[in-house]
Amino acid sequence: FDLIPLEELKRPRIDILASLSGIFRDSFANVVDLLDDMFERCANADEPIDMNFIKKHALELEKDGVESPAARLFSNPPGDYGSMVCGDIV
Protein backbone atom coordinates (compact mmCIF):
# COMPACT_ATOMS: atom_id res chain seq x y z
CA PHE A 1 0.00 0.00 0.00
CA ASP A 2 1.03 3.59 -0.55
CA LEU A 3 0.35 6.68 1.52
CA ILE A 4 -2.30 8.95 0.06
CA PRO A 5 -0.51 12.21 -0.87
CA LEU A 6 -1.48 15.14 1.34
CA GLU A 7 -2.65 17.05 -1.75
CA GLU A 8 -5.19 14.30 -2.40
CA LEU A 9 -6.02 13.74 1.28
CA LYS A 10 -6.80 17.46 1.73
CA ARG A 11 -6.39 17.32 5.50
CA PRO A 12 -3.67 16.52 8.05
CA ARG A 13 -2.81 12.92 8.86
CA ILE A 14 -4.28 12.20 12.28
CA ASP A 15 -2.57 10.14 14.95
CA ILE A 16 -4.24 7.13 16.57
CA LEU A 17 -3.44 4.32 18.97
CA ALA A 18 -4.99 0.88 18.57
CA SER A 19 -5.48 -1.71 21.30
CA LEU A 20 -5.70 -5.12 19.65
CA SER A 21 -7.05 -8.31 21.18
CA GLY A 22 -4.70 -11.28 21.33
CA ILE A 23 -6.99 -13.21 18.99
CA PHE A 24 -6.86 -10.45 16.35
CA ARG A 25 -3.09 -10.06 16.79
CA ASP A 26 -2.48 -13.78 16.23
CA SER A 27 -5.18 -14.42 13.61
CA PHE A 28 -4.33 -11.43 11.45
CA ALA A 29 -0.58 -11.04 11.95
CA ASN A 30 -0.21 -10.05 8.28
CA VAL A 31 -2.69 -7.16 8.75
CA VAL A 32 -0.89 -6.06 11.92
CA ASP A 33 2.41 -6.04 9.99
CA LEU A 34 0.85 -3.97 7.17
CA LEU A 35 -0.60 -1.44 9.62
CA ASP A 36 2.70 -1.20 11.49
CA ASP A 37 4.50 -0.60 8.18
CA MET A 38 2.06 2.19 7.29
CA PHE A 39 2.64 3.91 10.64
CA GLU A 40 6.41 3.69 10.09
CA ARG A 41 6.04 5.21 6.62
CA CYS A 42 3.83 7.98 7.96
CA ALA A 43 6.34 8.76 10.70
CA ASN A 44 9.16 8.94 8.15
CA ALA A 45 7.26 10.73 5.38
CA ASP A 46 8.75 13.90 3.94
CA GLU A 47 5.84 16.03 5.11
CA PRO A 48 5.46 19.05 7.40
CA ILE A 49 4.65 18.11 11.00
CA ASP A 50 1.63 20.42 11.04
CA MET A 51 0.09 18.15 8.39
CA ASN A 52 1.30 14.81 9.78
CA PHE A 53 0.59 14.29 13.47
CA ILE A 54 1.98 10.74 13.40
CA LYS A 55 5.35 12.20 12.36
CA LYS A 56 5.07 15.05 14.87
CA HIS A 57 4.38 12.73 17.80
CA ALA A 58 6.94 10.13 16.69
CA LEU A 59 9.63 12.82 16.59
CA GLU A 60 8.65 13.97 20.10
CA LEU A 61 8.75 10.38 21.40
CA GLU A 62 12.10 9.79 19.71
CA LYS A 63 13.49 12.91 21.40
CA ASP A 64 12.27 11.49 24.73
CA GLY A 65 14.18 8.26 24.07
CA VAL A 66 11.22 5.99 23.27
CA GLU A 67 12.50 2.81 21.60
CA SER A 68 9.83 2.51 18.86
CA PRO A 69 8.38 6.01 18.45
CA ALA A 70 6.19 5.11 15.44
CA ALA A 71 4.48 2.20 17.24
CA ARG A 72 0.71 2.70 17.36
CA LEU A 73 -0.52 -0.91 17.78
CA PHE A 74 -0.64 -2.42 21.26
CA SER A 75 -1.82 -5.78 22.56
CA ASN A 76 -1.60 -8.32 25.35
CA PRO A 77 1.61 -10.35 25.61
CA PRO A 78 1.92 -13.33 23.21
CA GLY A 79 -0.15 -16.27 24.43
CA ASP A 80 -2.54 -14.08 26.45
CA TYR A 81 -6.02 -13.75 25.00
CA GLY A 82 -7.96 -12.22 27.88
CA SER A 83 -8.43 -8.74 29.23
CA MET A 84 -5.70 -9.31 31.88
CA VAL A 85 -8.20 -8.12 34.52
CA CYS A 86 -8.64 -11.48 36.26
CA GLY A 87 -5.07 -11.52 37.54
CA ASP A 88 -5.64 -8.17 39.25
CA ILE A 89 -8.87 -9.12 41.05
CA VAL A 90 -8.50 -10.82 44.41
Side-chain angles (χ1 to χ4, degrees):
F1 296 102
D2 294 320
L3 294 177
I4 297 172
L6 288 174
E7 299 78 31
E8 185 180 332
L9 194 60
K10 295 183 169 87
R11 62 168 175 77
R13 294 190 197 285
I14 61 169
D15 198 355
I16 64 143
L17 296 177
S19 178
L20 308 176
S21 71
I23 295 287
F24 184 92
R25 175 201 63 223
D26 292 350
S27 297
F28 303 104
N30 59 329
V31 174
V32 173
D33 289 342
L34 287 172
L35 289 170
D36 190 52
D37 177 63
M38 290 303 293
F39 285 120
E40 277 290 333
R41 287 199 260 165
C42 285
N44 294 312
D46 185 19
E47 298 174 342
I49 60 171
D50 64 329
M51 291 297 288
N52 182 339
F53 291 102
I54 297 169
K55 179 177 183 169
K56 177 184 179 188
H57 298 147
L59 289 171
E60 291 170 358
L61 290 168
E62 184 177 52
K63 195 166 62 172
D64 290 342
V66 172
E67 186 177 326
S68 300
R72 297 293 182 271
L73 305 173
F74 301 93
S75 183
N76 302 17
D80 189 338
Y81 299 101
S83 63
M84 297 177 25
V85 174
C86 294
D88 294 332
I89 298 175
V90 179

